[in-house]
Amino acid sequence: MRVIIAEKPSLARAIAEALPGRMQRQEGLIQCGDTTVTWCLGHLLEQAPPEAYDPADKQWRLDRLPIVPSRWQLAPRPKARGQLSVIRKLLKQASLVVHAGDPDREGQLLVQEVIEHMNYRGPVQRLLVSDLNRPAVVRALGRLEDNQTFQPLYRAAEARARADWLYGINLTRAWTLTGRQAGHDGVLSVGRVQTPVLGLIVRRDNTIRDFVPYPFYPLWVDLQVQHGQLRAWWAPKPNQPLDEQGRLIDRTPADALVTRLPGAQGQLTQLEQQEKRQNAPLPYSLSALQVDAARRFGLSAQAVLDGCQRLYEQHKLITYPRSDCRYLPEEHFAGMRKVLSSACQNDTTLNGWLSGADFSRRSETWNDKQVGAHHALAPTGKAFDASAVSDIDAKLFQLISRNVLAQFYPPLRTFEVKAEFTLLEECFRARGQQVLDPGWKPLFTTREESPPLPPLTQGETCQALSAGVEERETRPPEHFTDASIIKAMMNISRYVDDPEVRRTLRDTDGLGTEATRAGILETLVQRGYIVRKQKALRATRLGSALIAALPEAVSIPERTALWEQRLSAIAERQDDANAFQHALVEDLYALLRQSDAGKLRHSLQTAQGEAAASARRGAKSNKGDTKRKPTGNRKRTPSTGAKRKK
């Protein structure tokens, strides 16, 4: 008998419907001729607790750390025993097992750990399903692979699970017990990925809190040129009082120059003009979709993940969503006209975009070399009906479809001009852009980035009509949002200070995976380490205190980013899981020696004091606002993001 083990019931039903023969449903399985389809319910097994290895470790004690199992054990989850019993009986009768976990690292682990836990020793094949529609599942069933091919993926996932256990159990116990000595009564959870993410948010909050704004003074001049007028901005020479970004921080030179400019004659001394072509953004990975949906609709990363799961499992409108890939298989190109025509026919917006698509165009997204176990998110071809899904799901489907449709639009073509004028021996710069062909851009926005300049000729003369000096103020960075923190987790090398580590990281190395990033943020919220204030993610007093008390190596992204890199290398047969675990245990010994109750007590008291001071400042500001006459809104200048002072 052939037994197919799916990752979840929805996938099992899709597989059963694609098999020949009459379906017979029983408790925990579906019989289809000589094939039986059963399923997991997410993870049926979990890492055994410390007391399973030694009963003495049920009690939390510092002198028992680190806890490092010599032989790893898995334990059934409390609600999984019934389904595990069903799978155990089937495996005893099976002549062939088909592993039908999701096509990613975690999906490989989830089903295979059950097969190995049951000591099944027969042949195992692998079924990779990325689209739950029947034709796609039928094709996948015709392309079964040897599960042995995916052993490195399993080893990487297993190493990840064990690393999370070692890191989380030992450091959480150490700092919770240290916290009790410092007067904190709750659990202080520390995680291999969650703590560096919390560290990013805390350090951003601290930067904003400690930021001291200062004024700077851009000078503009309106110029008459041969074919019109334009505005140019002064580029002060290096001998002027400038900050690191070249902004003038002493108004005196600007005031002296502005009085001399009206009526002054000058010349266009440098002119750069070029036509640029920009291809459409690639189809989405999950994280890229989470970033865009957070920016456009204010959706949390978890809300996007949940919506995509519904579109995939319940509505069967999109392909497998937990993908880190932004490319599509080359074989999908020929059938994409039919897929998109069917998917978009009932939606006015999508149908309008569909009418402008040129399906003879072949963009760079069709690239088998860039596609791994899964490909970018795409419609399946099932007709979309906005009234049959939630508002969030409809918005997500439109975004996913839009990015695939955009592959059949021409590039955005612009004519860009950069001009430098010399007046009174000073340099003034202007830039403009003219859209020659909007291409795919109207699918994304109707806003123009910058207005065009009048026609210009190298060496032509100009005359200053008027000039002015603006007073602006530097601004701190923005608080992290769901969009910006997911983007930071995707591209963590930008937040790594160590130049040696940064050199070893690829642009694609990140914290967490597509499947876990949303959950990490929700975990931090649930544990009281961060809160959402409107769209901003802010650290709580407890979150700030924990980061201040932990060794810096635990809360900065360097180590975890390198570990993620090693896990990817294990999956690609370029590293060894045992060596990875050995290095992690060595790290644990060094980190545990740094637990310090005095430091934690001080950080808790400091965070409490800063929170109280912030509250007093807010109360004082609100009280003052009731007496102050309105003075108008401060404007932001798009070119610098700075505040313009009135």
Side-chain angles (χ1 to χ4, degrees), residues 348-554:
T348 303
T349 299
L350 292 176
N351 206 31
W353 292 341
L354 179 69
S355 65
D358 177 0
F359 288 98
S360 66
R361 288 188 172 274
R362 190 183 184 100
S363 77
E364 62 180 358
T365 194
W366 316 100
N367 189 337
D368 288 345
K369 294 179 180 178
Q370 298 288 345
V371 175
H374 26 53
H375 55 70
L377 280 66
T380 60
K382 183 179 178 181
F384 169 67
D385 179 1
S387 66
V389 302
S390 70
D391 180 59
I392 288 176
D393 295 0
K395 289 175 177 176
L396 294 175
F397 182 80
Q398 287 181 336
L399 287 180
I400 293 165
S401 301
R402 179 200 65 182
N403 273 41
V404 177
L405 277 166
Q407 306 311 307
F408 299 100
Y409 273 70
L412 165 66
R413 289 175 48 239
T414 57
F415 185 69
E416 302 197 5
V417 179
K418 295 180 182 178
E420 288 191 4
F421 298 87
T422 300
L423 293 90
L424 304 177
E425 299 183 348
E426 296 289 345
C427 176
F428 297 84
R429 293 176 178 153
R431 62 169 53 197
Q433 181 188 84
Q434 179 184 359
V435 175
L436 302 178
D437 182 350
W440 53 267
K441 194 73 172 178
L443 276 64
F444 291 74
T445 180
T446 57
R447 178 172 53 88
E448 289 192 19
E449 297 300 324
S450 57
L453 296 179
L456 297 171
T457 305
Q458 177 81 35
E460 70 173 274
T461 60
C462 63
Q463 182 177 19
L465 301 175
S466 59
V469 179
E470 294 182 0
E471 181 177 349
R472 300 184 189 172
E473 193 175 76
T474 57
R475 299 172 61 243
E478 300 285 345
H479 286 286
F480 276 116
T481 62
D482 277 74
S484 58
I485 196 66
I486 290 289
K487 194 168 184 179
M489 294 166 75
M490 291 167 63
N491 306 285
I492 200 60
S493 62
R494 300 176 186 176
Y495 297 86
V496 169
D497 293 328
D498 188 322
E500 291 296 323
V501 174
R502 196 186 304 116
R503 272 195 289 272
T504 69
L505 294 174
R506 300 164 295 188
D507 289 341
T508 54
D509 286 321
L511 293 182
T513 66
E514 304 293 320
T516 62
R517 287 172 184 144
I520 289 165
L521 295 183
E522 296 310 309
T523 296
L524 291 172
V525 171
Q526 292 163 9
R527 289 177 175 165
Y529 292 154
I530 65 173
V531 293
R532 284 189 174 90
K533 293 187 176 181
Q534 296 178 334
K535 291 185 179 182
L537 296 172
R538 305 278 293 276
T540 63
R541 178 179 67 84
L542 181 60
S544 297
L546 178 60
I547 294 301
L550 286 168
E552 185 183 51
V554 177

Side-chain angles (χ1 to χ4, degrees), residues 578-591:
N578 291 327
F580 169 71
Q581 182 176 314
H582 180 72
L584 190 153
V585 171
E586 287 187 348
D587 277 341
L588 280 176
Y589 276 101
L591 293 171

Side-chain angles (χ1 to χ4, degrees), residues 149-409:
T149 305
F150 300 89
Q151 289 311 292
L153 203 63
Y154 171 66
R155 297 301 170 204
E158 183 182 60
R160 192 276 313 153
R162 292 174 177 177
D164 285 348
W165 191 95
L166 285 168
Y167 208 74
I169 291 289
N170 286 291
L171 295 187
T172 295
R173 288 192 174 201
W175 261 266
T176 297
L177 293 169
T178 302
R180 290 176 186 171
Q181 297 172 6
H184 179 74
D185 202 25
V187 173
L188 291 176
S189 175
V190 181
R192 185 181 62 88
V193 179
Q194 74 169 30
T195 304
V197 173
L198 175 60
L200 289 175
I201 295 171
V202 169
R203 280 185 285 276
R204 175 64 62 85
D205 287 354
N206 292 344
T207 298
I208 295 169
R209 180 199 66 205
D210 299 336
F211 183 82
V212 178
Y214 59 86
F216 64 98
Y217 306 95
L219 183 156
W220 55 265
V221 59
D222 286 337
L223 299 176
Q224 179 70 52
V225 292
Q226 184 176 354
H227 296 289
Q229 297 179 7
L230 57 85
R231 175 163 290 188
W233 297 85
W234 183 34
K237 296 173 182 175
N239 62 350
Q240 299 286 2
L242 308 176
D243 66 6
E244 293 180 352
Q245 296 187 38
R247 298 177 294 200
L248 188 71
I249 56 177
D250 182 349
R251 181 169 186 146
T252 306
D255 285 339
L257 178 58
V258 78
T259 59
R260 301 166 53 208
L261 277 169
Q265 298 285 331
Q267 187 177 33
L268 175 54
T269 49
Q270 187 170 329
L271 181 63
E272 293 182 23
Q273 301 182 106
Q274 60 178 329
E275 181 180 326
K276 288 191 174 182
R277 296 166 63 90
Q278 183 181 348
N279 291 327
L282 291 168
Y284 285 116
S285 64
L286 174 60
S287 288
L289 178 62
Q290 286 169 324
V291 170
D292 271 9
R295 287 174 175 167
R296 183 176 287 259
F297 306 122
L299 297 177
S300 71
Q302 188 65 48
V304 176
L305 175 56
D306 292 343
C308 285
Q309 285 297 126
R310 289 190 296 270
L311 289 171
Y312 172 63
E313 293 180 15
Q314 181 180 341
H315 303 296
K316 300 180 182 179
L317 285 166
I318 66 169
T319 58
Y320 179 70
R322 299 186 183 214
S323 171
D324 61 354
C325 179
R326 299 197 68 176
Y327 292 84
L328 293 167
E330 294 172 13
E331 68 173 5
H332 287 199
F333 174 76
M336 195 52 70
R337 177 200 288 267
K338 182 178 179 181
V339 167
L340 290 172
S341 297
S342 175
C344 302
Q345 60 183 317
N346 297 330
D347 184 85
T348 303
T349 299
L350 292 176
N351 206 31
W353 292 341
L354 179 69
S355 65
D358 177 0
F359 288 98
S360 66
R361 288 188 172 274
R362 190 183 184 100
S363 77
E364 62 180 358
T365 194
W366 316 100
N367 189 337
D368 288 345
K369 294 179 180 178
Q370 298 288 345
V371 175
H374 26 53
H375 55 70
L377 280 66
T380 60
K382 183 179 178 181
F384 169 67
D385 179 1
S387 66
V389 302
S390 70
D391 180 59
I392 288 176
D393 295 0
K395 289 175 177 176
L396 294 175
F397 182 80
Q398 287 181 336
L399 287 180
I400 293 165
S401 301
R402 179 200 65 182
N403 273 41
V404 177
L405 277 166
Q407 306 311 307
F408 299 100
Y409 273 70

Side-chain angles (χ1 to χ4, degrees), residues 68 73 86 130 133 230 266 287 313 317 328 493 515 518 602 625:
V68 182
Q73 299 178 33
V86 171
S130 59
N133 280 332
L230 57 85
S287 288
E313 293 180 15
L317 285 166
L328 293 167
S493 62
H602 175 73
D625 284 345

